[in-house]
Amino acid sequence: MSLPQDSSAFVSEPVSIGKKGQKVSLSFAVSGLPAGSNPVVGVFDKQGKIVGRTEWQSNTSNPTFAKQFNIMHANSTLLTFSVYNASDSVSATDYLGGVTADVKTLLGNGGKNEVSEGGITFAFTTAMENKGGKKEKKPKEEKKVDPAVAEKLKQKLIAKVDKEGGKKAQDIAGLRDMGGVSYFHVSMEHCAGDFELINIAMEAMNRPCPEDAEERRGGADEIGKVLVSYNDDRLAFVMNVPKNLHDKCAIKDWFGAFTEGFDVVMEGESTEEYMAGWIKQDQEKGIFPMKIRDDMINRGFAFLKAKSLVLDDEDDDDEMVFGDDDYDM
């Protein structure tokens, strides 16, 4: 095979191999050649017939070839890639080595594969065109939501959160009246880690409840509580210790015990009555919102128990901590 000086047209024009199947583009680089090589690679089919070659390069042991091969690939296409140390022609004595690979195999691993033999490595880049030459589908555009519809959905969610907060307030108020416990960890179902919604729930809990109300909600304004809510990305919490309980428990102490051992991002301004924060999910550290919620509630409960602000488990048959499944709303 003679090797005249390659023209720019030769380098830019791809080699087509085969007639049937799905079109696959392939290019490669070679490493491990002797120093000072003048390499060129011939590509052979499974019958040993040459079907194309790369451009000829000079004085390099690690060439990256610009020549692209377009292969019509069906179930299996076996090709041999032989590299020669060429001058103005190629003969068997110029052979340096080569590899044999199936195009189907080269398409695996995202089309990035290395094949080595005899100390020479071919690094292949392979890609398959869409079947039938169809254009790639454009990602679907997000549907625009009518602002009026969005506002209606938001108000519906706020009403649901308000109802959840009000009803859970009545439950913890009832437990306080029966057992004298004034501190609770409350898991919120509908807030989804959103501080705006958690604060709406807190307001609903602290709203006075008229004695003659047809549906009793709220009435937990003199009860210490931390509302806990999570989504896929974070665990959020808002703590409230009303003034009537300050002599028994400082909010910063309860908050510190509740969050001990975690990197907390504080939310808003902290006061003697309110503190809020959140913890970001971190898979590498094993921090998952749903899991750490239970850990933190246990720490908060242990703190309250040590201060004799909640009953021992053996003395109390009621559930002090409300979870996501306590209400059907």
Side-chain angles (χ1 to χ4, degrees), residues 3-7 10 53 56 58:
L3 283 176
Q5 187 66 36
D6 296 323
S7 66
F10 173 84
R53 72 170 178 88
W56 173 26
S58 301

Side-chain angles (χ1 to χ4, degrees), residues 196-256:
E196 180 182 359
L197 296 177
I198 298 172
N199 286 325
I200 288 171
M202 182 69 79
E203 290 176 6
M205 296 187 84
N206 289 338
R207 191 177 299 133
C209 179
E211 291 294 332
D212 58 349
E214 184 176 341
E215 183 180 11
R216 298 185 64 79
R217 297 189 196 175
D221 52 310
E222 294 188 346
I223 296 175
K225 52 202 169 288
V226 53
L227 307 190
V228 188
S229 178
Y230 67 90
N231 55 34
D232 291 339
D233 298 321
R234 70 181 185 184
L235 178 76
F237 35 88
V238 177
M239 183 176 287
N240 168 224
V241 176
K243 291 181 180 179
N244 61 294
L245 298 178
H246 285 181
D247 59 332
K248 296 180 180 179
C249 175
I251 190 171
K252 64 179 182 180
D253 295 335
W254 186 11
F255 192 91

